[in-house]
């Protein structure tokens, strides 16, 4: 390891959406950019979310200097607690970002032990060999930054998540001038968000949703329920502005919604104009006087919006003639939950408006024109597409090469675990490091390993058949008939016949092994013999492969 | 039960997408319109699909006269075998529809025993009190019909799935004149497809996709892989036409694709123009000379398209510079599988074009303008929206009332299990009949009940803890220490400590019950005692609720 080489190692977020985490090492100094979570596709199996594999950081714990946060979305901060439990280092971020982080660290009892270092957009911090400048970018939440990371061999720009919005609703616009200045000084590599590379044109400003929402407010005669992502502070500001314009008060329901509004107001990004009233007072308002901001826009069954639609929310309810506005995109995988929410709303005879019917949502990730602007402002020597599945990274590379004329060897198409080696002149892709997904059960904040998940998938698919056998300790003699029980196992006959049959199979299997071997061959040997006999029988008879658990009790 | 009342009872497809099945009874005569399947949302739990609950038909088996099929899509014919196994009656359908049905009945050994009665569009069949006229409609597959069902108290029109396509690629256009004539004679009730009620305008003709596909064919220099639904015969015809135009041969891969092409050609709906070559000959063709039609457009892991992209297909493969055309919509829930397919394709450095980038797909279900045309052609006394979740049925009702001026009491918003009673003058909604979903495991073509599914969900979520205990038959004395084993259970400590601890808990629980009670109280009583002790301990310690199986072996 020489001191003139920079390593860039994504631990997550490249080749997958979510759990963004990028490691940079120069000499003996490591910084970690973002530590995100990915929401689970396997919730059925008790997995709530996934975090990157931090093994590499644990192995080099003495080199890790800091975590640098670009912004406060879950896919950038959600695994921070899990990382800090393994490697506790200072955390840098903007004021709003760190305020969002705080209660999470508190939940994990990490707050007192963690150094949170506030950085304002425009400021630079020194961390080991790295000099890190925070540059304002526009996005769907507030206080987001790109990073210009200067190292002894050159500057790396990491965009975070961004779009070019010259007229954001809250806070300052993306600092294009600064990005251009940095680009003019020379940038070794640009790491740029690929999320919306498949969308042509430029992503409109957050303000684009105002006219359609204004029309909805204008038309509504009774309550308006708006559900959006609780982190969409620009959107929330628009709702307060419209509430003021149309003489309504605002009720915020749902923990995330209430908390984010409070933090955004405290950090100066949101102006609630004294319109916010306590959810308890919902019942006192005439339907024409109120807007309800509710979390749960993805139809989460326990979300505020679903509970309101379901008439199971303690404080708020809807009635015929009210209006429901779903001001968010449908995250793939959530369509059925959202449809269920809409069905529920219609059962209350309300009007439902979602983003397929009116321009009431806009993405915070830049489309092709934004991506072009970023590449042209920075004009890097090397370009590394980040944040996306292989399809987005590939298309981003293609876009840079075909549209902007980048030579293919100047665009590095890498995925999580790949190691990019830069020496200021050349770029190489080194040996991949092993990165697994780490599955998290939120009930107990514990990690599940792959074996456990595989066992659960198996149990789910065809259930479990359990065979209990008691044998005498010294002789191995069978004591009484085998005991069979099943859970989630289908079988082909009636339950009783099935169990009787399996008992016979188990009995024959036991009898087929000499009593001495049952005890002398070891319990595992005996159990495996029993398991295989049952497995073969069930497979032959029904084609099914339930989990079979033999349980030998030695008496 | 008088002879002057018609009952309309949806067993499936109203309040849900899929498993369409509509029962009509007049006097002692029952007909069943369609018997569809719904693809499983719970595949993890060994459920491949769901069928309607046919209990009502079993209970009135002596009244059931026939199944009347509108067309050959899975959501209209997929549960036919399951229905016929319970109530074997003649099946009516158009030539293409019955040809698609045949091999399925054969798989279930039902073909010899089932009377299949071919009906051409335009023909009328008499079944009990019903006179059923088949009327040609346009849709995404071929040989589709609406039904005009004349009963002693009036005519009911069931649209099946439809759109108004004046220029379908294959077969005749929707018979608007006939629909209008029937409407003019007076229709008691219209049952009309609600799938696309949320889409404004008129659904374009199947031909709308030709220009974009032509451009793709024109640009391609190497192989073209097209994946579409195997039932989309119009789309497949367009591919053959373009193949001919651009001098390519066609290879069809995937069982469904090969079978449907063969049936469509045999029934005269498809003209392959002698361009079809054997998949085995794929390797002999220059990349510029071939189009591959592959099933698996939803990214099904075992689908032909996924296997080709994955380089695991025996006969076909792709190489850099080839073009992949995904000429289908993304069915909600399949986005991730489709994204995986696209990722795989890009790893081969091919171009991928899907329906978000070019107009290469069009729906076969009418949009608002089509729905208006149908309602205005038929001008029914009563209108019943069918085929859709509550949101689509509700919107269809709203559309009829707000846009077309139907009185709300003339539009019956019903869901599966509801019973509509018509006497020619009035309409009432009677007592709901119980309709459950029936879960099917395709491995063994067996039905799973709700309890089994619930058990599997539980097992999947937090695994299983099994406690085996041997007790003496007469005294209830414990023989040896309890045996503990787990599958898919997380715990909080290391595995060995955890098991030792659970063994102690089981031991204490056994000891807490007097030996006599263990045998005299019944095995279930003893097992439940053991289960509760373990459950409480685990819950208190970890917050988890695994399935706990106590297994008492009596010696």
């Amino acid at each position: 390891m020489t001191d003139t080489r920079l390593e860039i190692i994504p631990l997550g977020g490249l080749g997958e959406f979510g759990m963004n985490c990028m490691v940079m090492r120069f000499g003996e100094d490591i910084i970690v950019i973002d530590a995100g979570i990915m929401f689970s596709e396997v919730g059925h199996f008790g997995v709530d979310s996934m975090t990157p594999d931090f093994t590499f950081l644990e192995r080099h714990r003495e080199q890790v200097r800091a975590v640098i946060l670009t912004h406060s979305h879950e896919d950038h901060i959600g695994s921070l607690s899990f990382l800090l439990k393994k490697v506790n280092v200072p955390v840098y971020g903007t004021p709003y970002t760190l305020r969002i982080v705080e209660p999470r660290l508190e939940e994990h009892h990490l707050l007192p032990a963690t150094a949170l270092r506030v950085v304002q957009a425009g400021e630079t911090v020194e961390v080991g060999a790295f000099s890190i400048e925070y540059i304002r970018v526009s996005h769907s939440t507030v206080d987001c930054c790109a990073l210009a990371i200067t190292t002894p061999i050159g500057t790396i720009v990491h965009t975070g998540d961004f779009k070019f919005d010259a007229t954001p609703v809250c806070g300052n616009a993306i600092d294009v001038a600064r990005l251009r200045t940095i680009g003019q000084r020379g940038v070794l590599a640009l790491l740029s968000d690929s999320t919306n590379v498949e969308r042509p044109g430029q992503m409109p400003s957050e303000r684009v949703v105002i006219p359609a929402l204004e029309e909805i407010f204008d038309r509504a005669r009774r309550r308006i329920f708006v559900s959006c992502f609780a982190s969409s502070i620009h959107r929330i500001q628009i709702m307060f502005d419209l509430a003021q314009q149309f003489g309504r008060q605002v009720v915020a329901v749902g923990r995330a919604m209430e908390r984010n509004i409070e933090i955004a107001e405290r950090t100066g990004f949101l102006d609630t104009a004294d319109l916010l009233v306590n959810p308890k007072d919902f019942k006192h308002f005439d339907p024409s006087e109120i807007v309800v901001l509710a979390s749960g826009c993805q139809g989460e069954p326990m979300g505020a919006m679903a509970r309101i639609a379901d008439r199971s929310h303690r404080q708020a309810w809807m009635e015929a003639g009210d209006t429901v506005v779903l001001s968010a995109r449908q995250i793939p995988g959530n369509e059925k939950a959202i449809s269920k929410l809409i069905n529920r709303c219609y059962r209350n005879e309300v009007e439902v408006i979602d983003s397929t019917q009116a321009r009431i949502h806009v993405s915070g990730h830049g489309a092709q024109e934004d991506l072009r602007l970023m590449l042209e402002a920075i004009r890097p020597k090397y370009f590394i597409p980040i944040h996306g599945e292989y399809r987005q990274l590939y298309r981003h590379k293609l876009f840079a090469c075909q549209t902007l004329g980048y030579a293919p060897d100047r665009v590095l198409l890498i995925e999580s675990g790949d190691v990019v080696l830069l020496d200021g002149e050349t770029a190489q892709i080194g040996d991949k490091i092993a990165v697994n997904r780490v599955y998290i059960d939120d009930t107990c904040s514990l990690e599940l390993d792959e074996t456990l998940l595989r066992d659960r998938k198996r149990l789910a698919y065809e259930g479990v058949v359990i065979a209990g056998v008691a044998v005498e300790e010294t002789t191995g003699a069978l004591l009484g008939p085998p005991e069979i029980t099943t859970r989630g196992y289908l079988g082909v006959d009636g339950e009783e016949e099935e169990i009787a049959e399996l008992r016979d199979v188990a009995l024959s299997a036991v009898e087929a092994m000499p009593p001495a071997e049952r005890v002398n061959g070891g319990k595992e040997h005996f159990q495996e013999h029993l398991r295989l006999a049952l497995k073969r029988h069930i497979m032959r008879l029904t084609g099914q492969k339930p989990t079979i658990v033999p349980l030998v009790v030695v008496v």
Side-chain angles (χ1 to χ4, degrees), chain A:
Chain A
M1 182 84 204
T2 76
D3 263 348
T4 57
R5 231 166 47 157
L6 173 70
E7 289 164 289
I8 297 179
I9 312 167
L11 297 185
L14 275 72
E16 64 208 346
F17 270 116
M19 59 176 198
N20 298 298
C21 185
M22 181 70 75
V23 168
M24 290 191 192
R25 173 159 69 175
F26 190 88
E28 300 290 310
D29 294 322
I30 286 175
I31 56 171
V32 183
I33 300 164
D34 292 334
I37 214 160
M38 181 187 249
F39 289 106
S40 176
E41 301 162 23
V42 284
H44 302 310
F45 302 114
V47 176
D48 300 288
S49 53
M50 287 163 276
T51 75
D53 181 345
F54 296 124
T55 309
F56 178 85
L57 297 174
E58 286 182 281
R59 215 162 49 226
H60 302 284
R61 58 168 63 250
E62 77 294 344
Q63 300 182 337
V64 184
R65 306 283 167 248
V67 179
I68 315 292
L69 301 177
T70 60
H71 66 289
S72 59
H73 275 147
E74 287 296 337
D75 55 337
H76 293 259
I77 65 159
S79 66
L80 183 61
S81 299
F82 295 93
L83 170 55
L84 294 178
K85 274 182 204 168
K86 294 177 181 190
V87 185
N88 193 283
V89 292
V91 178
Y92 293 82
T94 57
Y96 178 81
T97 305
L98 292 186
R99 290 280 187 157
I100 292 286
V101 161
E102 272 175 11
R104 286 141 203 277
L105 297 185
E106 195 155 24
E107 274 168 34
H108 286 86
H109 314 294
L110 285 163
L111 195 53
T114 304
L116 294 178
R117 309 227 164 120
V118 176
V119 192
Q120 298 283 354
E123 289 182 354
T124 299
V125 293
E126 309 291 331
V127 179
F130 303 94
S131 171
I132 304 154
E133 179 179 344
Y134 272 67
I135 304 160
R136 171 67 71 237
V137 293
S138 308
H139 187 45
S140 48
T141 190
V142 292
D143 220 0
C144 305
C145 284
L147 307 169
I149 302 162
T150 301
T151 74
I153 61 157
T155 298
I156 312 297
V157 172
H158 184 297
T159 64
D161 287 350
F162 76 97
K163 69 175 178 181
F164 281 84
D165 186 346
T167 59
V169 180
C170 310
N172 294 324
I174 181 168
D175 193 349
V176 189
R178 187 63 195 158
L179 290 168
R180 288 182 62 90
T181 302
I182 287 163
Q184 278 156 10
R185 289 186 189 160
V187 168
L188 181 57
L190 168 67
L191 284 62
S192 181
D193 178 20
S194 311
T195 307
N196 272 339
V197 65
E198 295 182 349
R199 292 169 67 165
Q202 182 161 1
M203 192 54 63
S205 166
E206 291 294 314
R207 288 184 191 273
V208 75
V209 302
I210 297 175
L213 288 169
E214 194 169 9
E215 203 186 305
I216 292 167
F217 272 69
D218 190 39
R219 214 171 52 224
R221 291 286 155 270
R222 294 178 48 87
R223 294 182 197 99
I224 303 173
F225 294 86
V226 178
S227 196
C228 65
F229 295 109
S231 62
S232 299
I233 305 302
H234 304 279
R235 195 71 44 81
I236 292 168
Q237 181 66 63
I238 291 171
M239 300 309 164
F240 276 97
D241 293 347
L242 288 170
Q244 188 160 44
Q245 182 180 340
F246 289 93
R248 289 173 181 255
Q249 303 288 109
V250 179
V251 172
V253 289
R255 201 168 62 112
M257 186 62 79
E258 293 179 62
R259 186 155 78 181
N260 287 20
I261 286 176
E262 194 231 314
I263 295 174
E265 185 160 40
R266 194 139 46 91
T267 48
F269 286 96
L270 184 70
D271 176 8
T272 61
D274 281 330
L275 296 172
L276 198 61
V277 297
N278 194 306
K280 282 184 201 140
D281 296 325
F282 171 89
K283 58 177 176 292
H284 301 310
F285 284 92
D286 184 86
S288 68
E289 294 173 348
I290 203 126
V291 180
V292 177
L293 294 182
S295 7
C297 64
Q298 298 299 299
E300 299 88 334
M302 294 308 293
M305 198 64 231
R307 285 183 295 126
I308 293 170
D310 211 15
R311 302 176 163 273
S312 68
H313 195 276
R314 279 179 308 121
Q315 293 154 329
W317 59 86
M318 57 178 66
E319 290 168 309
D322 290 350
T323 302
V324 173
V325 182
L326 301 178
S327 179
R329 75 178 182 118
Q330 301 197 348
I331 294 179
N334 294 346
E335 293 82 358
K336 300 210 169 172
I338 295 169
S339 230
K340 235 176 225 171
L341 170 61
I342 295 175
N343 291 336
R344 282 173 173 180
C345 288
Y346 279 139
R347 287 184 199 278
N348 294 297
E349 295 180 48
V350 302
E351 188 181 0
V352 180
I353 299 152
D354 67 17
S355 61
T356 64
Q357 295 164 64
R359 188 67 193 248
I360 56 173
H361 178 68
V362 60
S363 173
H365 295 272
Q368 285 170 4
E369 194 58 19
D370 302 73
L371 304 184
R372 189 185 66 73
L373 286 169
M374 183 59 82
L375 272 158
E376 294 196 342
I378 301 298
R379 281 183 277 165
K381 185 160 180 177
Y382 292 103
F383 168 48
I384 304 176
I386 61 172
H387 304 167
E389 296 197 9
Y390 191 87
R391 77 190 260 198
Q392 281 81 23
L393 305 180
Y394 181 87
R395 293 277 298 261
H396 207 173
K397 173 172 182 165
L398 225 57
F399 179 72
C401 296
Q402 292 180 351
T403 310
L404 301 174
Y406 274 79
D409 61 344
R410 292 298 169 105
V411 185
L412 305 169
L413 185 49
I414 59 167
E415 291 180 272
S416 300
D418 281 328
V419 178
V420 172
L421 302 163
L422 297 171
D423 61 9
E425 288 303 316
T426 66
Q428 286 172 57
I429 298 179
D431 289 340
K432 209 177 169 91
I433 68 165
V435 283
N436 301 302
R437 287 182 180 179
V438 177
Y439 300 94
I440 304 291
D441 176 340
D442 281 354
T443 321
C444 45
S445 285
L446 286 176
E447 296 176 7
L448 281 69
D449 65 22
E450 292 272 359
T451 317
L452 197 83
L453 193 62
R454 202 167 46 236
D455 283 352
R456 287 185 180 178
K457 285 186 179 177
R458 194 100 190 271
L459 287 167
Y461 199 66
E462 299 190 307
V464 59
V465 172
I466 303 160
V469 171
V471 293
E472 210 279 325
E473 192 177 7
T474 47
T475 62
L478 180 68
L479 305 167
E483 193 63 31
I484 303 284
T485 188
T486 72
R487 290 290 185 286
Y489 169 65
L490 179 57
V492 283
D493 303 318
E495 204 182 326
E496 277 183 42
E497 295 88 326
E498 189 87 24
I499 291 204
E501 205 176 318
L502 293 175
R503 193 182 290 124
D504 289 346
V505 173
L507 187 60
S508 306
V510 173
E511 284 171 348
M513 185 179 273
E517 190 181 339
R518 293 176 205 159
V519 285
N520 301 336
K523 196 191 267 186
E524 277 180 26
H525 169 71
F526 182 32
Q527 288 187 155
E528 186 60 10
H529 169 77
L530 192 55
R531 193 183 72 79
L532 284 175
L534 287 162
K535 179 185 156 184
R536 275 190 220 108
H537 172 82
I538 291 171
M539 181 66 201
R540 197 174 50 234
L541 207 72
T542 71
Q544 292 171 68
K545 294 181 195 166
T547 300
I548 294 167
V549 183
L551 194 76
V552 172
V553 185
V554 176
V555 174

PDB file of all heavy atoms in Angstrom, chain A residues 123-134:
ATOM      1  N   GLU A 123     -19.188  25.023   3.668  1.00  0.00           N
ATOM      2  CA  GLU A 123     -18.035  24.834   4.555  1.00  0.00           C
ATOM      3  C   GLU A 123     -17.195  23.637   4.127  1.00  0.00           C
ATOM      4  O   GLU A 123     -17.674  22.743   3.428  1.00  0.00           O
ATOM      5  CB  GLU A 123     -18.514  24.625   5.998  1.00  0.00           C
ATOM      6  CG  GLU A 123     -19.077  25.892   6.619  1.00  0.00           C
ATOM      7  CD  GLU A 123     -19.521  25.699   8.072  1.00  0.00           C
ATOM      8  OE1 GLU A 123     -19.502  24.550   8.583  1.00  0.00           O
ATOM      9  OE2 GLU A 123     -19.898  26.708   8.682  1.00  0.00           O
ATOM     10  N   THR A 124     -15.952  23.671   4.595  1.00  0.00           N
ATOM     11  CA  THR A 124     -15.027  22.572   4.309  1.00  0.00           C
ATOM     12  C   THR A 124     -14.524  22.007   5.626  1.00  0.00           C
ATOM     13  O   THR A 124     -14.253  22.749   6.567  1.00  0.00           O
ATOM     14  CB  THR A 124     -13.835  23.098   3.482  1.00  0.00           C
ATOM     15  OG1 THR A 124     -14.344  23.615   2.254  1.00  0.00           O
ATOM     16  CG2 THR A 124     -12.820  21.999   3.191  1.00  0.00           C
ATOM     17  N   VAL A 125     -14.441  20.692   5.693  1.00  0.00           N
ATOM     18  CA  VAL A 125     -13.887  20.064   6.897  1.00  0.00           C
ATOM     19  C   VAL A 125     -12.683  19.213   6.503  1.00  0.00           C
ATOM     20  O   VAL A 125     -12.636  18.680   5.392  1.00  0.00           O
ATOM     21  CB  VAL A 125     -14.935  19.197   7.640  1.00  0.00           C
ATOM     22  CG1 VAL A 125     -16.026  20.091   8.210  1.00  0.00           C
ATOM     23  CG2 VAL A 125     -15.540  18.140   6.722  1.00  0.00           C
ATOM     24  N   GLU A 126     -11.740  19.116   7.423  1.00  0.00           N
ATOM     25  CA  GLU A 126     -10.542  18.321   7.180  1.00  0.00           C
ATOM     26  C   GLU A 126     -10.667  17.021   7.961  1.00  0.00           C
ATOM     27  O   GLU A 126     -10.900  17.039   9.171  1.00  0.00           O
ATOM     28  CB  GLU A 126      -9.287  19.070   7.659  1.00  0.00           C
ATOM     29  CG  GLU A 126      -9.159  20.504   7.140  1.00  0.00           C
ATOM     30  CD  GLU A 126      -8.875  20.568   5.649  1.00  0.00           C
ATOM     31  OE1 GLU A 126      -8.253  19.616   5.115  1.00  0.00           O
ATOM     32  OE2 GLU A 126      -9.309  21.556   5.006  1.00  0.00           O
ATOM     33  N   VAL A 127     -10.504  15.924   7.297  1.00  0.00           N
ATOM     34  CA  VAL A 127     -10.574  14.620   7.961  1.00  0.00           C
ATOM     35  C   VAL A 127      -9.415  13.778   7.427  1.00  0.00           C
ATOM     36  O   VAL A 127      -9.442  13.325   6.280  1.00  0.00           O
ATOM     37  CB  VAL A 127     -11.899  13.899   7.688  1.00  0.00           C
ATOM     38  CG1 VAL A 127     -11.917  12.535   8.373  1.00  0.00           C
ATOM     39  CG2 VAL A 127     -13.090  14.735   8.143  1.00  0.00           C
ATOM     40  N   GLY A 128      -8.388  13.584   8.228  1.00  0.00           N
ATOM     41  CA  GLY A 128      -7.216  12.833   7.778  1.00  0.00           C
ATOM     42  C   GLY A 128      -6.658  13.474   6.517  1.00  0.00           C
ATOM     43  O   GLY A 128      -6.459  14.695   6.453  1.00  0.00           O
ATOM     44  N   ALA A 129      -6.457  12.650   5.508  1.00  0.00           N
ATOM     45  CA  ALA A 129      -5.875  13.151   4.259  1.00  0.00           C
ATOM     46  C   ALA A 129      -6.897  13.876   3.391  1.00  0.00           C
ATOM     47  O   ALA A 129      -6.561  14.368   2.312  1.00  0.00           O
ATOM     48  CB  ALA A 129      -5.264  11.991   3.483  1.00  0.00           C
ATOM     49  N   PHE A 130      -8.156  13.899   3.858  1.00  0.00           N
ATOM     50  CA  PHE A 130      -9.243  14.416   3.019  1.00  0.00           C
ATOM     51  C   PHE A 130      -9.674  15.818   3.452  1.00  0.00           C
ATOM     52  O   PHE A 130      -9.808  16.093   4.646  1.00  0.00           O
ATOM     53  CB  PHE A 130     -10.463  13.501   3.091  1.00  0.00           C
ATOM     54  CG  PHE A 130     -10.183  12.081   2.690  1.00  0.00           C
ATOM     55  CD1 PHE A 130      -9.869  11.110   3.642  1.00  0.00           C
ATOM     56  CD2 PHE A 130     -10.218  11.704   1.344  1.00  0.00           C
ATOM     57  CE1 PHE A 130      -9.617   9.799   3.271  1.00  0.00           C
ATOM     58  CE2 PHE A 130      -9.967  10.391   0.979  1.00  0.00           C
ATOM     59  CZ  PHE A 130      -9.662   9.429   1.934  1.00  0.00           C
ATOM     60  N   SER A 131      -9.903  16.647   2.467  1.00  0.00           N
ATOM     61  CA  SER A 131     -10.489  17.955   2.718  1.00  0.00           C
ATOM     62  C   SER A 131     -11.849  17.936   2.013  1.00  0.00           C
ATOM     63  O   SER A 131     -11.929  17.761   0.792  1.00  0.00           O
ATOM     64  CB  SER A 131      -9.568  19.014   2.127  1.00  0.00           C
ATOM     65  OG  SER A 131     -10.196  20.254   2.164  1.00  0.00           O
ATOM     66  N   ILE A 132     -12.916  18.065   2.793  1.00  0.00           N
ATOM     67  CA  ILE A 132     -14.258  17.788   2.256  1.00  0.00           C
ATOM     68  C   ILE A 132     -15.116  19.045   2.262  1.00  0.00           C
ATOM     69  O   ILE A 132     -15.444  19.574   3.326  1.00  0.00           O
ATOM     70  CB  ILE A 132     -14.940  16.686   3.101  1.00  0.00           C
ATOM     71  CG1 ILE A 132     -14.048  15.436   3.120  1.00  0.00           C
ATOM     72  CG2 ILE A 132     -16.327  16.374   2.550  1.00  0.00           C
ATOM     73  CD1 ILE A 132     -14.253  14.551   4.334  1.00  0.00           C
ATOM     74  N   GLU A 133     -15.481  19.498   1.089  1.00  0.00           N
ATOM     75  CA  GLU A 133     -16.319  20.688   0.969  1.00  0.00           C
ATOM     76  C   GLU A 133     -17.769  20.288   0.711  1.00  0.00           C
ATOM     77  O   GLU A 133     -18.057  19.465  -0.159  1.00  0.00           O
ATOM     78  CB  GLU A 133     -15.817  21.571  -0.186  1.00  0.00           C
ATOM     79  CG  GLU A 133     -16.673  22.821  -0.385  1.00  0.00           C
ATOM     80  CD  GLU A 133     -16.164  23.709  -1.529  1.00  0.00           C
ATOM     81  OE1 GLU A 133     -15.009  23.528  -1.973  1.00  0.00           O
ATOM     82  OE2 GLU A 133     -16.942  24.567  -1.971  1.00  0.00           O
ATOM     83  N   TYR A 134     -18.663  20.842   1.509  1.00  0.00           N
ATOM     84  CA  TYR A 134     -20.094  20.595   1.326  1.00  0.00           C
ATOM     85  C   TYR A 134     -20.653  21.615   0.340  1.00  0.00           C
ATOM     86  O   TYR A 134     -20.487  22.821   0.555  1.00  0.00           O
ATOM     87  CB  TYR A 134     -20.828  20.712   2.664  1.00  0.00           C
ATOM     88  CG  TYR A 134     -20.874  19.424   3.460  1.00  0.00           C
ATOM     89  CD1 TYR A 134     -19.723  18.853   3.999  1.00  0.00           C
ATOM     90  CD2 TYR A 134     -22.094  18.765   3.669  1.00  0.00           C
ATOM     91  CE1 TYR A 134     -19.776  17.669   4.729  1.00  0.00           C
ATOM     92  CE2 TYR A 134     -22.157  17.588   4.403  1.00  0.00           C
ATOM     93  CZ  TYR A 134     -21.002  17.045   4.926  1.00  0.00           C
ATOM     94  OH  TYR A 134     -21.065  15.882   5.640  1.00  0.00           O
TER      95      TYR A 134
END
